[in-house]
Coordinates of all heavy atoms in Angstrom, one line a residue:
M1 N 258.6 138.4 64.0 CA 257.6 139.0 64.8 C 256.2 138.5 64.4 O 255.9 138.4 63.3 CB 257.6 140.5 64.7 CG 258.8 141.2 65.4 SD 258.4 142.9 65.4 CE 259.8 143.4 66.4
G2 N 255.3 138.4 65.4 CA 254.0 137.9 65.1 C 252.9 138.9 65.5 O 253.2 140.1 65.9
P3 N 251.7 138.5 65.4 CA 250.6 139.4 65.7 C 250.6 139.9 67.2 O 250.2 141.0 67.4 CB 249.3 138.5 65.5 CG 249.8 137.4 64.7 CD 251.2 137.2 64.9
L4 N 251.0 139.1 68.1 CA 251.1 139.5 69.5 C 252.1 140.7 69.7 O 251.8 141.6 70.4 CB 251.5 138.3 70.4 CG 251.6 138.6 71.9 CD1 250.2 139.1 72.4 CD2 252.0 137.4 72.7
A5 N 253.2 140.6 69.0 CA 254.2 141.7 69.1 C 253.6 142.9 68.6 O 253.8 144.0 69.1 CB 255.5 141.3 68.4
W6 N 252.9 142.8 67.5 CA 252.3 144.0 66.9 C 251.2 144.6 67.8 O 251.1 145.8 68.0 CB 251.7 143.8 65.5 CG 250.9 144.9 65.1 CD1 249.5 145.0 64.9 CD2 251.4 146.3 64.8 NE1 249.1 146.3 64.6 CE2 250.2 147.1 64.5 CE3 252.6 146.9 64.8 CZ2 250.4 148.4 64.2 CZ3 252.7 148.2 64.5 CH2 251.6 149.0 64.2
K7 N 250.4 143.8 68.4 CA 249.4 144.2 69.3 C 250.0 145.0 70.5 O 249.5 146.1 71.0 CB 248.5 143.1 69.9 CG 247.6 142.6 68.9 CD 246.7 141.5 69.4 CE 245.8 141.0 68.4 NZ 244.9 139.9 68.8
I8 N 251.1 144.5 71.0 CA 251.8 145.1 72.1 C 252.4 146.5 71.7 O 252.2 147.5 72.3 CB 252.9 144.2 72.8 CG1 252.2 143.0 73.4 CG2 253.8 145.0 73.7 CD1 253.2 142.0 73.9
M9 N 253.1 146.4 70.6 CA 253.8 147.7 70.1 C 252.8 148.7 69.6 O 252.8 149.9 70.0 CB 254.7 147.3 68.9 CG 256.0 146.6 69.3 SD 257.0 146.1 67.9 CE 256.6 147.1 66.5
G10 N 251.8 148.3 68.8 CA 250.9 149.2 68.2 C 249.9 149.8 69.3 O 249.8 151.0 69.4
T11 N 249.3 148.9 70.0 CA 248.3 149.4 71.0 C 249.0 150.1 72.2 O 248.6 151.1 72.6 CB 247.5 148.2 71.5 OG1 246.9 147.6 70.4 CG2 246.4 148.7 72.5
G12 N 250.0 149.5 72.7 CA 250.8 150.1 73.8 C 251.3 151.4 73.5 O 251.2 152.4 74.3
G13 N 251.9 151.5 72.3 CA 252.5 152.8 71.9 C 251.4 153.9 71.7 O 251.6 155.0 72.1
A14 N 250.3 153.5 71.1 CA 249.2 154.5 70.9 C 248.6 154.9 72.2 O 248.3 156.1 72.4 CB 248.1 153.8 70.0
V15 N 248.4 154.0 73.1 CA 247.8 154.4 74.5 C 248.8 155.3 75.2 O 248.4 156.3 75.7 CB 247.5 153.1 75.3 CG1 247.2 153.5 76.7 CG2 246.3 152.4 74.7
L16 N 250.0 155.0 75.2 CA 251.0 155.8 75.9 C 251.1 157.2 75.2 O 251.1 158.2 75.9 CB 252.4 155.1 75.9 CG 253.5 155.9 76.6 CD1 253.2 156.1 78.0 CD2 254.8 155.1 76.4
A17 N 251.1 157.2 73.9 CA 251.1 158.5 73.2 C 249.9 159.4 73.6 O 250.0 160.6 73.7 CB 251.2 158.3 71.7
G18 N 248.7 158.7 73.7 CA 247.5 159.4 74.0 C 247.5 160.0 75.4 O 247.1 161.2 75.6
V19 N 248.0 159.2 76.3 CA 248.2 159.7 77.7 C 249.1 160.9 77.8 O 248.9 161.9 78.4 CB 248.6 158.6 78.6 CG1 249.0 159.1 80.0 CG2 247.5 157.6 78.8
L20 N 250.3 160.7 77.1 CA 251.3 161.8 77.2 C 250.8 163.1 76.5 O 251.0 164.2 76.9 CB 252.6 161.3 76.5 CG 253.4 160.3 77.3 CD1 254.6 159.8 76.5 CD2 253.8 160.9 78.6
A21 N 250.1 162.9 75.3 CA 249.5 164.1 74.6 C 248.5 164.8 75.5 O 248.5 166.1 75.5 CB 248.9 163.7 73.3
T22 N 247.7 164.1 76.2 CA 246.7 164.7 77.1 C 247.4 165.5 78.2 O 247.0 166.6 78.6 CB 245.8 163.7 77.7 OG1 245.1 163.0 76.6 CG2 244.7 164.3 78.6
K23 N 248.5 164.9 78.8 CA 249.2 165.6 79.8 C 249.9 166.9 79.3 O 249.8 167.9 80.0 CB 250.3 164.7 80.4 CG 249.8 163.4 81.0 CD 249.8 163.6 82.5 CE 249.4 162.3 83.1 NZ 248.5 162.4 84.3
V24 N 250.4 166.8 78.1 CA 251.0 168.0 77.5 C 249.9 169.1 77.2 O 250.2 170.3 77.5 CB 251.7 167.6 76.2 CG1 252.2 168.9 75.4 CG2 253.0 166.8 76.5
V25 N 248.8 168.7 76.7 CA 247.7 169.7 76.5 C 247.3 170.3 77.8 O 247.1 171.5 77.9 CB 246.5 169.0 75.7 CG1 245.3 170.0 75.8 CG2 246.9 168.7 74.3
D26 N 247.1 169.5 78.8 CA 246.7 170.0 80.2 C 247.8 171.0 80.7 O 247.4 172.0 81.2 CB 246.6 168.8 81.2 CG 245.3 168.0 81.0 OD1 244.4 168.5 80.2 OD2 245.3 166.9 81.6
L27 N 249.0 170.7 80.5 CA 250.1 171.6 81.0 C 250.1 172.9 80.2 O 250.1 174.0 80.8 CB 251.5 170.9 80.8 CG 252.7 171.7 81.2 CD1 252.6 172.0 82.7 CD2 253.9 171.0 80.9
I28 N 250.0 172.8 78.9 CA 249.9 174.0 78.1 C 248.7 174.8 78.4 O 248.7 176.1 78.5 CB 250.0 173.6 76.6 CG1 251.4 173.1 76.2 CG2 249.7 174.9 75.7 CD1 251.5 172.5 74.9
W29 N 247.5 174.1 78.5 CA 246.3 174.8 78.8 C 246.4 175.6 80.1 O 246.0 176.7 80.2 CB 245.1 173.8 78.9 CG 243.8 174.4 79.1 CD1 243.2 174.6 80.3 CD2 242.9 174.9 78.1 NE1 242.0 175.2 80.1 CE2 241.8 175.4 78.8 CE3 243.0 175.0 76.7 CZ2 240.7 176.0 78.1 CZ3 241.9 175.6 76.1 CH2 240.8 176.1 76.8
S30 N 246.9 175.0 81.1 CA 247.0 175.6 82.4 C 247.9 176.8 82.4 O 247.7 177.8 83.2 CB 247.5 174.6 83.5 OG 248.8 174.3 83.3
R31 N 248.9 176.8 81.6 CA 249.8 178.0 81.5 C 249.3 179.0 80.5 O 249.5 180.2 80.8 CB 251.2 177.5 81.0 CG 251.9 176.7 82.1 CD 253.3 176.4 81.8 NE 253.9 175.6 82.9 CZ 255.1 175.2 82.9 NH1 255.9 175.5 81.9 NH2 255.5 174.4 83.9
A32 N 248.6 178.7 79.5 CA 248.1 179.6 78.5 C 246.8 180.3 79.0 O 246.7 181.5 78.7 CB 247.8 178.9 77.2
V33 N 246.0 179.6 79.7 CA 244.7 180.2 80.1 C 244.9 180.6 81.6 O 245.1 179.7 82.4 CB 243.6 179.2 80.0 CG1 242.3 179.8 80.5 CG2 243.4 178.7 78.6
Q34 N 244.9 181.9 81.9 CA 245.3 182.4 83.2 C 244.1 182.5 84.1 O 243.9 183.5 84.8 CB 246.0 183.7 83.1 CG 247.3 183.7 82.3 CD 248.3 182.8 83.0 OE1 248.4 182.8 84.3 NE2 249.1 182.1 82.3
D35 N 243.2 181.5 84.1 CA 242.1 181.4 85.1 C 242.1 180.0 85.7 O 242.7 179.1 85.3 CB 240.8 181.8 84.5 CG 240.4 181.0 83.3 OD1 240.9 179.9 83.2 OD2 239.5 181.4 82.6
D36 N 241.3 179.9 86.7 CA 241.2 178.6 87.5 C 240.0 177.8 87.0 O 239.6 176.9 87.7 CB 241.1 178.9 89.0 CG 242.4 179.5 89.5 OD1 243.4 179.3 88.9 OD2 242.3 180.1 90.6
V37 N 239.5 178.0 85.8 CA 238.3 177.3 85.3 C 238.8 176.0 84.8 O 239.7 175.9 83.9 CB 237.6 178.1 84.3 CG1 236.4 177.3 83.7 CG2 237.1 179.4 84.9
N38 N 238.2 174.9 85.3 CA 238.6 173.6 84.8 C 237.6 173.3 83.6 O 236.4 173.2 83.8 CB 238.4 172.5 85.8 CG 238.6 171.1 85.4 OD1 238.9 170.9 84.2 ND2 238.6 170.2 86.3
P39 N 238.1 173.1 82.3 CA 237.3 172.9 81.2 C 236.5 171.6 81.2 O 235.5 171.5 80.5 CB 238.2 173.0 80.0 CG 239.6 172.6 80.6 CD 239.6 173.1 82.0
K40 N 236.9 170.7 82.1 CA 236.1 169.5 82.2 C 234.9 169.6 83.1 O 234.1 168.7 83.2 CB 237.1 168.4 82.8 CG 238.2 168.1 81.8 CD 239.2 167.1 82.5 CE 240.5 167.0 81.6 NZ 241.5 166.3 82.3
S41 N 234.8 170.7 83.9 CA 233.7 170.9 84.8 C 232.5 171.4 84.1 O 232.5 172.1 83.1 CB 234.2 172.0 85.8 OG 233.0 172.4 86.6
P42 N 231.3 170.9 84.5 CA 230.1 171.4 83.9 C 229.8 172.9 84.2 O 228.9 173.5 83.5 CB 229.0 170.5 84.5 CG 229.6 169.9 85.7 CD 231.1 169.9 85.5
E43 N 230.5 173.4 85.1 CA 230.3 174.9 85.4 C 231.2 175.8 84.5 O 231.1 177.0 84.5 CB 230.6 175.1 86.9 CG 229.6 174.4 87.8 CD 230.0 174.5 89.2 OE1 231.1 175.1 89.5 OE2 229.3 173.9 90.1
A44 N 232.1 175.2 83.7 CA 233.0 175.9 82.9 C 232.2 176.5 81.7 O 231.2 175.8 81.2 CB 234.1 175.1 82.4
P45 N 232.6 177.6 81.1 CA 231.9 178.1 79.9 C 232.1 177.1 78.8 O 233.1 176.5 78.6 CB 232.6 179.4 79.6 CG 233.4 179.8 80.9 CD 233.6 178.5 81.6
I46 N 231.0 177.0 78.0 CA 231.0 176.0 77.0 C 232.1 176.2 75.9 O 232.6 175.3 75.4 CB 229.6 175.9 76.3 CG1 229.5 174.6 75.4 CG2 229.2 177.1 75.6 CD1 229.5 173.3 76.1
N47 N 232.3 177.5 75.6 CA 233.4 177.8 74.6 C 234.7 177.3 75.0 O 235.5 176.8 74.2 CB 233.3 179.2 74.2 CG 233.7 180.2 75.3 OD1 233.6 179.8 76.5 ND2 234.0 181.4 75.0
K48 N 235.1 177.4 76.3 CA 236.3 176.9 76.8 C 236.4 175.4 76.8 O 237.4 174.8 76.5 CB 236.6 177.4 78.2 CG 237.1 178.9 78.2 CD 237.6 179.3 79.5 CE 238.0 180.7 79.5 NZ 238.7 181.2 80.7
A49 N 235.3 174.8 77.1 CA 235.2 173.3 77.2 C 235.4 172.7 75.8 O 236.1 171.8 75.5 CB 233.9 172.9 77.8
V50 N 234.7 173.3 74.8 CA 234.8 172.9 73.4 C 236.2 173.1 72.8 O 236.7 172.2 72.2 CB 233.7 173.5 72.5 CG1 233.9 173.2 71.1 CG2 232.3 173.0 73.0
L51 N 236.8 174.2 73.1 CA 238.1 174.5 72.6 C 239.1 173.5 73.3 O 240.0 173.0 72.6 CB 238.6 175.9 73.0 CG 240.0 176.3 72.6 CD1 240.2 176.2 71.1 CD2 240.3 177.7 73.1
Y52 N 239.0 173.2 74.5 CA 239.8 172.3 75.2 C 239.7 170.9 74.6 O 240.7 170.2 74.3 CB 239.5 172.2 76.7 CG 240.3 171.1 77.4 CD1 241.6 171.3 77.8 CD2 239.7 169.9 77.7 CE1 242.3 170.3 78.5 CE2 240.3 168.9 78.4 CZ 241.6 169.1 78.8 OH 242.3 168.1 79.4
A53 N 238.4 170.5 74.4 CA 238.2 169.2 73.8 C 238.8 169.1 72.4 O 239.3 168.0 72.0 CB 236.6 168.9 73.7
A54 N 238.6 170.1 71.6 CA 239.2 170.1 70.2 C 240.7 170.0 70.2 O 241.3 169.3 69.5 CB 238.7 171.4 69.5
L55 N 241.3 170.8 71.1 CA 242.8 170.7 71.2 C 243.3 169.4 71.7 O 244.2 168.8 71.2 CB 243.3 171.8 72.1 CG 243.2 173.3 71.6 CD1 243.5 174.3 72.7 CD2 244.0 173.5 70.4
T56 N 242.6 168.8 72.7 CA 243.0 167.6 73.2 C 242.8 166.4 72.1 O 243.6 165.6 71.9 CB 242.1 167.2 74.5 OG1 242.4 168.2 75.4 CG2 242.6 165.9 75.0
G57 N 241.6 166.5 71.4 CA 241.4 165.5 70.4 C 242.4 165.6 69.3 O 242.9 164.5 68.8
L58 N 242.8 166.8 68.9 CA 243.8 166.9 67.8 C 245.1 166.4 68.3 O 245.8 165.6 67.6 CB 243.9 168.4 67.4 CG 245.0 168.7 66.4 CD1 244.6 168.1 65.1 CD2 245.1 170.2 66.3
A59 N 245.5 166.8 69.5 CA 246.8 166.3 70.0 C 246.9 164.8 70.2 O 247.9 164.1 69.8 CB 247.2 167.0 71.3
V60 N 245.8 164.2 70.7 CA 245.8 162.8 70.9 C 245.8 162.0 69.6 O 246.5 161.0 69.4 CB 244.6 162.4 71.9 CG1 244.4 160.9 71.9 CG2 244.8 162.9 73.3
G61 N 244.9 162.5 68.7 CA 244.8 161.8 67.4 C 246.2 161.8 66.6 O 246.6 160.8 66.1
A62 N 246.8 163.0 66.6 CA 248.1 163.1 66.0 C 249.2 162.2 66.6 O 249.9 161.5 65.9 CB 248.5 164.6 66.0
A63 N 249.2 162.2 68.0 CA 250.2 161.4 68.7 C 250.0 159.9 68.4 O 251.0 159.2 68.2 CB 250.1 161.7 70.2
K64 N 248.7 159.5 68.4 CA 248.5 158.1 68.2 C 248.8 157.7 66.8 O 249.4 156.6 66.5 CB 247.0 157.8 68.5 CG 246.7 157.7 70.0 CD 245.2 157.4 70.2 CE 244.9 157.2 71.6 NZ 243.5 156.7 71.8
T65 N 248.5 158.5 65.8 CA 248.8 158.2 64.4 C 250.3 158.2 64.2 O 250.8 157.2 63.6 CB 248.2 159.3 63.5 OG1 246.8 159.2 63.7 CG2 248.5 159.0 62.0
L66 N 251.0 159.1 64.7 CA 252.5 159.2 64.5 C 253.1 158.0 65.2 O 254.1 157.3 64.7 CB 253.1 160.5 65.0 CG 252.7 161.7 64.2 CD1 253.2 163.0 64.9 CD2 253.2 161.6 62.8
T67 N 252.7 157.6 66.4 CA 253.2 156.5 67.1 C 253.0 155.2 66.4 O 253.8 154.3 66.3 CB 252.7 156.5 68.6 OG1 253.0 157.7 69.2 CG2 253.3 155.3 69.4
T68 N 251.7 155.0 65.9 CA 251.4 153.8 65.2 C 252.2 153.7 63.9 O 252.7 152.6 63.6 CB 249.9 153.7 64.9 OG1 249.2 153.8 66.1 CG2 249.5 152.5 64.2
R69 N 252.4 154.8 63.2 CA 253.2 154.7 62.0 C 254.7 154.3 62.3 O 255.3 153.6 61.6 CB 253.2 156.1 61.3 CG 251.9 156.4 60.7 CD 251.8 157.8 60.1 NE 252.9 158.1 59.3 CZ 252.9 158.0 57.9 NH1 251.8 157.6 57.3 NH2 253.9 158.3 57.2
K70 N 255.2 154.9 63.4 CA 256.6 154.6 63.8 C 256.7 153.1 64.2 O 257.7 152.4 63.8 CB 257.1 155.4 65.0 CG 257.7 156.7 64.5 CD 259.0 156.5 63.8 CE 259.8 157.7 63.7 NZ 260.9 157.6 62.7
A71 N 255.7 152.6 65.0 CA 255.7 151.2 65.4 C 255.6 150.3 64.2 O 256.3 149.3 64.1 CB 254.6 151.0 66.4
A72 N 254.8 150.7 63.2 CA 254.6 149.8 62.0 C 255.9 149.8 61.1 O 256.3 148.8 60.6 CB 253.5 150.3 61.1
A73 N 256.6 151.0 61.1 CA 257.9 151.1 60.4 C 259.0 150.2 61.0 O 259.7 149.5 60.4 CB 258.4 152.5 60.3
Y74 N 259.0 150.2 62.4 CA 259.9 149.4 63.1 C 259.6 147.9 62.9 O 260.5 147.1 62.7 CB 259.9 149.7 64.6 CG 260.8 148.9 65.4 CD1 262.1 149.1 65.5 CD2 260.3 147.8 66.2 CE1 263.0 148.3 66.2 CE2 261.1 147.0 66.9 CZ 262.4 147.2 67.0 OH 263.2 146.4 67.7
Y75 N 258.3 147.6 63.0 CA 257.9 146.2 62.7 C 258.3 145.7 61.3 O 258.8 144.6 61.2 CB 256.4 146.1 62.9 CG 255.8 144.7 62.8 CD1 255.6 143.9 63.9 CD2 255.6 144.1 61.6 CE1 255.1 142.7 63.9 CE2 255.1 142.8 61.5 CZ 254.8 142.1 62.6 OH 254.3 140.8 62.6
E76 N 258.1 146.6 60.3 CA 258.4 146.2 59.0 C 259.9 146.0 58.8 O 260.4 145.1 58.1 CB 257.9 147.3 58.0 CG 258.2 147.0 56.6 CD 257.7 148.0 55.6 OE1 257.6 149.2 56.0 OE2 257.3 147.7 54.5
A77 N 260.7 146.9 59.5 CA 262.2 146.8 59.4 C 262.6 145.5 60.1 O 263.6 144.8 59.6 CB 262.8 148.0 60.0
S78 N 262.0 145.1 61.1 CA 262.4 143.9 61.9 C 261.9 142.6 61.2 O 262.6 141.6 61.1 CB 261.8 143.9 63.3 OG 262.4 145.0 64.0
A79 N 260.6 142.6 60.7 CA 260.0 141.4 60.2 C 260.1 141.3 58.7 O 259.9 140.2 58.1 CB 258.5 141.3 60.7
G80 N 260.3 142.4 58.0 CA 260.4 142.3 56.6 C 259.1 142.6 55.9 O 259.0 142.6 54.7
H81 N 258.0 142.8 56.7 CA 256.7 143.1 56.1 C 255.9 143.9 57.1 O 256.2 143.9 58.3 CB 256.0 141.8 55.7 CG 255.8 140.9 56.9 ND1 254.8 141.0 57.8 CD2 256.6 139.8 57.3 CE1 254.9 140.0 58.7 NE2 256.0 139.3 58.4
L82 N 254.9 144.6 56.7 CA 254.0 145.3 57.6 C 253.2 144.3 58.4 O 252.9 143.2 58.0 CB 253.1 146.2 56.8 CG 253.7 147.5 56.2 CD1 252.7 148.2 55.3 CD2 254.1 148.4 57.3
P83 N 252.7 144.7 59.6 CA 251.9 143.9 60.4 C 250.6 143.6 59.6 O 250.1 144.5 58.8 CB 251.6 144.7 61.6 CG 252.5 145.8 61.6 CD 253.0 146.0 60.3
E84 N 250.0 142.4 59.8 CA 248.8 142.0 59.0 C 247.7 143.0 59.3 O 246.9 143.3 58.4 CB 248.4 140.6 59.5 CG 247.3 140.1 58.6 CD 247.0 138.6 58.9 OE1 248.0 137.9 59.2 OE2 245.9 138.2 58.9
A85 N 247.6 143.5 60.5 CA 246.5 144.4 60.9 C 246.6 145.7 60.0 O 245.6 146.3 59.7 CB 246.5 144.8 62.3
I86 N 247.8 146.1 59.7 CA 248.0 147.4 58.9 C 247.7 147.1 57.5 O 247.1 147.9 56.8 CB 249.4 147.9 59.1 CG1 249.6 148.3 60.6 CG2 249.7 149.1 58.2 CD1 248.9 149.6 61.0
R87 N 248.2 146.0 57.0 CA 248.0 145.6 55.6 C 246.6 145.4 55.2 O 246.1 145.8 54.1 CB 248.8 144.3 55.2 CG 250.3 144.5 55.1 CD 250.9 143.2 54.7 NE 251.0 142.4 55.9 CZ 251.0 141.1 55.9 NH1 250.8 140.4 54.8 NH2 251.1 140.4 57.0
D88 N 245.8 144.8 56.1 CA 244.4 144.5 55.8 C 243.4 145.6 56.2 O 242.2 145.5 55.8 CB 244.0 143.2 56.5 CG 244.8 142.0 56.1 OD1 245.4 142.1 55.0 OD2 244.9 141.0 56.8
E89 N 243.9 146.6 56.9 CA 243.0 147.6 57.4 C 242.6 148.6 56.3 O 243.6 149.2 55.7 CB 243.6 148.3 58.6 CG 242.7 149.2 59.4 CD 243.4 149.8 60.6 OE1 243.6 149.0 61.6 OE2 243.8 150.9 60.6
A90 N 241.4 148.8 56.1 CA 241.0 149.9 55.1 C 241.0 151.2 55.8 O 240.9 151.4 57.0 CB 239.6 149.6 54.6
V91 N 241.2 152.2 55.0 CA 241.3 153.6 55.5 C 239.9 154.1 55.8 O 239.0 154.0 55.2 CB 242.0 154.5 54.5 CG1 242.0 156.0 55.0 CG2 243.4 154.1 54.3

């Protein structure tokens, strides 16, 4: 496997995970909060907007991290080494 395979697996997986996590948060938010206020609207109360942003950020960040870790583990199992982008990347 080469750098192109890692870019497809790592980036594609992270983007897909972010989109799915946002959809899940939207679904949970709409069921948990029993009002019709859209937290993305400038007319929404600021506390709801900030809470929504925090929950979405946490879910997306966790999903992207877990997906990237799984993709790196799969790459390592297939290629015998971690992708160069992971090995050289500082925390």
Side-chain angles (χ1 to χ4, degrees):
M1 284 192 175
L4 180 60
W6 170 247
K7 285 182 182 180
I8 292 170
M9 287 176 18
T11 305
V15 169
L16 182 61
V19 169
L20 290 175
T22 302
K23 298 260 185 220
V24 169
V25 169
D26 286 346
L27 179 66
I28 292 171
W29 182 269
S30 68
R31 291 188 181 180
V33 180
Q34 298 297 323
D35 59 19
D36 292 337
V37 176
N38 180 356
K40 298 173 189 172
S41 168
E43 297 172 359
I46 191 71
N47 61 342
K48 285 190 178 187
V50 170
L51 178 61
Y52 173 82
L55 291 173
T56 302
L58 177 66
V60 169
K64 285 183 174 183
T65 299
L66 293 173
T67 303
T68 301
R69 289 173 53 95
K70 272 295 195 190
Y74 177 79
Y75 185 100
E76 183 178 31
S78 298
H81 57 84
L82 284 172
E84 190 174 322
I86 297 288
R87 284 183 282 148
D88 297 341
E89 190 174 288
V91 176

